[in-house]
């Protein structure tokens, strides 16, 4: 599709005969050279990729030698890229990682968050337990920051934009996006989130997707992170989440990562391709649907797979349990 200035309608929320809500957005698919293969909306739209950038933020952890110095497993590398549920699996893994690097939960700068795991969250409410930093969906990323901080012998305020960790992140972020970042916003977990364009983010994901064909340190680091995400989809998000279920449903290796405010990326290492997606109004229901539709278009997943359909065409039920409509990709867009 020819690039446009404005976002294009991607997702409809249908009730009866009407599409009563519509979600527009931008999407870019890049090849190994960073060139645009296909796009919808404006590829030069400047965005904050939010948590979809976590594998970029984890690159210095691996490239610096900090991951090897700390003997990080593939599970821990996946957690460094994760927006996890705060389920027991995640909490125990982060706690063990903190202990192994001689740090504690109090060293995490991300704020406290109640678990997003339904059973654990209800248990915490019943037992009047307070939210915890270790349950923050970004605690794996922050433990990665702490690991790099220790390796660099830097100060404890690792979220400060001028800290050695964040300077290293900005450097690799700009290198793999191929663009100078125009600035940053402070993310929900207190870390800087660097801005780029839709094309820049897709270019970065194609860098990850094609990294195995190159031999430099940064490419080898990108390959390790991509492989870790693919090997441990439950660590990247959690049960019931789009990232985890779509990775499991895929017919080929693919790393998929959501970000707040309607962002999504996909890394396709067998093709050397990268995908970036942004829903303009930030709706998760629309970004889940649109990324599923793009993966169907690419032949990465089957539209009829139950774990694809739950995001591609989720039914809308009323309080009586009656199906009253559905969320679906706009016909003819993808």
């Amino acid at each position: 599709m020819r690039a446009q200035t404005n976002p294009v309608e991607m997702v409809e929320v249908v009730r009866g005969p009407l599409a009563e809500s519509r979600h527009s957005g931008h999407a870019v698919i890049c090849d190994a050279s960073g060139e645009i293969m296909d796009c919808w909306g404006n590829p030069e739209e400047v965005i904050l990729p939010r948590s979809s950038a976590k594998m970029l933020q984890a690159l210095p952890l691996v490239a610096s030698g900090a991951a090897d110095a700390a003997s990080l497993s593939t599970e821990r590398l996946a957690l460094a890229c994760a927006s996890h549920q705060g389920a027991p699996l995640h909490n125990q893994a982060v706690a063990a990682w903190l202990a192994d690097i001689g740090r504690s939960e109090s060293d995490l700068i991300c704020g406290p968050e109640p678990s997003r795991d339904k059973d654990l969250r209800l248990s915490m409410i019943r037992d009047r337990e307070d939210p915890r930093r270790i349950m923050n969906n970004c605690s794996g990323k922050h433990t990665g920051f702490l690991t790099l901080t220790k390796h660099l012998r830097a100060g404890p305020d690792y979220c400060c934009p001028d800290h050695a960790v964040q300077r290293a992140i900005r450097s690799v972020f700009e290198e793999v996006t191929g663009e100078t970042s125009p600035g940053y916003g402070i993310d929900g977990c207190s870390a800087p989130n660097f801005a780029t364009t839709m094309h820049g983010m897709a270019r970065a994901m194609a860098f990850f997707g094609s990294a195995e064909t190159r031999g430099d340190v940064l490419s080898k680091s990108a390959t390790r992170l991509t492989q870790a995400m693919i090997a441990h989809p439950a660590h990247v998000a959690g049960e019931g989440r789009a990232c985890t279920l779509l990775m499991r449903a895929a017919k080929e290796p693919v790393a998929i990562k959501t970000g707040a405010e309607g962002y999504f990326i996909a890394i396709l290492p067998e093709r050397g391709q990268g995908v970036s997606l942004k829903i303009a109004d930030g709706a998760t229901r629309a970004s889940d649907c649109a990324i599923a539709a793009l993966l169907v278009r690419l032949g990465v997943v089957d539209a009829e797979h139950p774990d694809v359909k739950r995001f591609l065409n989720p039914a809308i039920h009323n309080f009586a349990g009656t199906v009253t409509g559905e969320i679906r990709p706009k016909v003819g867009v993808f």
Side-chain angles (χ1 to χ4, degrees), residues 157-234:
D157 190 11
Y158 60 79
C159 281
C160 175
D162 291 329
H163 191 276
V165 166
Q166 299 305 326
R167 291 201 306 270
I169 290 170
R170 181 162 191 159
S171 177
V172 299
F173 184 90
E174 293 182 337
E175 182 172 349
V176 299
T177 59
E179 300 176 351
T180 299
S181 176
Y184 62 87
I186 300 301
D187 217 329
C189 66
S190 299
N193 193 255
F194 297 106
T196 188
T197 64
M198 290 295 299
H199 184 189
M201 196 62 182
R203 184 187 290 117
M205 296 306 99
F207 171 87
F208 275 77
S210 60
E212 201 165 5
T213 65
R214 301 182 297 272
D216 59 283
V217 171
L218 204 60
S219 296
K220 289 180 179 179
S221 302
T223 296
R224 288 176 63 182
L225 290 167
T226 301
Q227 291 176 345
M229 293 174 69
I230 293 169
H232 304 287

Side-chain angles (χ1 to χ4, degrees), residues 291-310:
I291 193 66
L294 278 172
L295 293 171
V296 169
R297 174 190 174 91
L298 290 167
V300 176
V301 298
D302 288 327
E304 295 305 313
H305 190 292
D307 285 338
V308 176
K309 289 185 71 173
R310 69 187 290 173

